[in-house]
Amino acid sequence: MKRILVIGSCGQIGSELVPALQNVEGIEIVCATDKKNPQDGNGSNFACFDQLDVLDYDALENFVKDNNIDTIYHLASLLSATGEKYPQTAWNLNINGLMNVLEVARKNDIKRIVWPSSIAVFGPTTPRENTPNDTILQPSTMYGITKVTGELMITYYAEKYGINIRSVRLPGIISCETLPGGGTTDYAVEIFYEAIKNQHYECFLEKTTILPMLYMSDCVKALIQIIQADPSRMHHRVYNLTGMSFSCAELAHEIRKHIPDFTIDYKPDSRQQIADSWPMTIDDSLAREEWGWKPIYTIETMALDMVQKLRKKLL
Ligand code: SER
């Protein structure tokens, strides 16, 4: 029986991708792993879990062999704001972690890999509106540099060794199961927690800052769909994805529809510069054409769902 390995399963995306994959493929097919112990917090409800550090090549290879893995979701990554604080750690995890996955794949007959890239591959020289799939990639953050390098690495391994490796450039991901950590788009999650707990949020970006976003259920759907798609129709390895774009003030306005007393202050910090270097809107038409990508959630339906779910969770 061939199995799927999820690396970084306690993170924001992994904690929701694992149960979704288990639903689709069967509980015993999905091996959830993370450097962290899930008892410390996230992911403690996984049916099966093993501690595994993607930077430990031998441990990764042994795990792949022992568990008959043929598909890997590699989600372990340091995000943009943390990457600016710790550039060497970002390079080490994001590049050497990916290299270990690719090498293990090459030597152990891994058939499929999904590795998320990011809108952080774009930079100040990229068109910021309706950013195309194939465009200038000159990021101004260490995180973006690791994602551009990663895109080249997966393309090389896919073409040279015939592994079906796919990637999506994720925008900000909004969800309520597990908090994101260390990203620039994190405000769009924090704002909901603070709105429900304290009816107030101090935003670290300007009110006019517009960024592309995606709701978690659409994100999970994309990560599952891209590996099931017909490779003969796919002429790219890496696809732009988006669900919605809004400014901080527009999101605050949407939240106020459900929490009328909600107030917001804007105190931009160093993350503003990162946000200003990223696209405002994304053209994801290639993903739509080549593998049928179609997000469901809008700012209205996302905000309603977030408020309903977080009220249950926090109050
Ligand atoms: N959510 C990420 C970040 O803000 C973007 O990929 O760093």
Side-chain angles (χ1 to χ4, degrees):
M1 183 170 55
K2 293 292 183 188
R3 290 203 170 90
I4 301 170
L5 166 61
V6 180
I7 298 169
S9 64
C10 294
Q12 186 194 12
I13 297 175
S15 62
E16 301 204 37
L17 177 67
V18 168
L21 273 175
Q22 285 173 336
N23 267 342
V24 177
E25 306 284 349
I27 286 181
E28 69 287 1
I29 299 295
V30 184
C31 300
T33 66
D34 201 288
K35 197 180 148 183
K36 288 179 219 156
N37 182 340
Q39 306 313 332
D40 297 342
N42 314 331
S44 50
N45 50 355
F46 294 150
C48 66
F49 176 85
D50 288 274
Q51 246 176 317
L52 178 72
D53 183 353
V54 71
L55 292 176
D56 183 341
Y57 180 88
D58 292 338
L60 177 62
E61 186 164 50
N62 288 336
F63 191 93
V64 161
K65 285 183 174 155
D66 293 348
N67 292 281
N68 215 9
I69 302 294
D70 80 339
T71 302
I72 299 178
Y73 279 86
H74 175 34
L75 307 176
S77 180
L78 212 78
L79 295 184
S80 58
T82 312
E84 292 309 281
K85 277 194 205 141
Y86 308 106
Q88 195 171 18
T89 313
W91 179 268
N92 191 28
L93 174 61
N94 296 4
I95 298 300
N96 296 334
L98 177 60
M99 185 53 128
N100 281 351
V101 169
L102 294 171
E103 276 295 290
V104 163
R106 176 173 78 83
K107 293 178 188 161
N108 294 277
D109 202 26
I110 297 293
K111 300 278 187 261
R112 287 168 292 270
I113 298 175
V114 179
W115 168 82
S117 184
S118 163
I119 54 163
V121 295
F122 304 120
T125 52
T126 310
R128 290 189 71 205
E129 284 180 60
N130 218 20
T131 304
N133 213 89
D134 301 324
T135 185
I136 301 165
L137 305 181
Q138 293 176 334
S140 54
T141 61
M142 179 49 86
Y143 177 59
I145 291 167
T146 65
K147 289 296 186 184
V148 173
T149 309
E151 289 190 3
L152 294 170
M153 288 163 68
I154 63 157
T155 305
Y156 172 80
Y157 273 80
E159 305 301 323
K160 181 143 183 173
Y161 299 109
I163 310 166
N164 183 8
I165 314 178
R166 302 288 166 187
S167 182
V168 280
R169 291 182 183 136
L170 295 178
I173 305 299
I174 302 174
S175 67
C176 55
E177 181 67 33
T178 304
L179 282 166
T184 302
T185 56
D186 294 9
Y187 96 86
V189 177
E190 288 173 13
I191 192 172
F192 283 99
Y193 279 76
E194 294 306 312
I196 284 166
K197 285 190 293 189
N198 304 317
Q199 292 79 53
H200 182 74
Y201 181 58
E202 190 174 287
C203 186
F204 57 77
L205 298 179
E206 298 272 16
K207 68 193 290 189
T208 51
T209 302
I210 298 174
L211 286 167
M213 302 279 174
L214 187 61
Y215 198 40
M216 181 61 87
S217 68
D218 281 328
C219 171
V220 163
K221 191 176 68 172
L223 294 173
I224 295 176
Q225 199 180 343
I226 196 169
I227 208 68
Q228 293 173 339
D230 173 5
S232 70
R233 285 184 54 204
M234 299 166 84
H235 306 296
H236 294 75
R237 228 44 35 239
V238 183
Y239 291 90
N240 282 1
L241 276 198
T242 188
M244 60 195 94
S245 277
F246 49 74
S247 68
C248 304
E250 282 165 337
L251 182 56
H253 175 75
E254 199 56 45
I255 290 173
R256 226 170 274 121
K257 289 183 189 169
H258 308 287
I259 306 168
D261 294 338
F262 175 61
T263 56
I264 184 164
D265 286 332
Y266 299 93
K267 292 221 173 91
D269 65 16
S270 58
R271 287 169 279 192
Q272 183 65 46
Q273 206 182 349
I274 301 175
D276 288 342
S277 77
W278 287 353
M280 296 188 284
T281 53
I282 297 281
D283 174 6
D284 62 2
S285 53
L286 278 181
R288 291 169 187 261
E289 283 158 25
E290 295 187 10
W291 48 278
W293 159 244
K294 196 169 182 292
I296 302 288
Y297 280 87
T298 61
I299 183 172
E300 290 86 5
T301 52
M302 173 277 291
L304 175 64
D305 202 53
M306 281 292 283
V307 168
Q308 285 176 342
K309 286 189 173 145
L310 281 178
R311 272 193 177 128
K312 274 196 204 136
K313 184 172 168 167
L314 300 175
L315 298 181

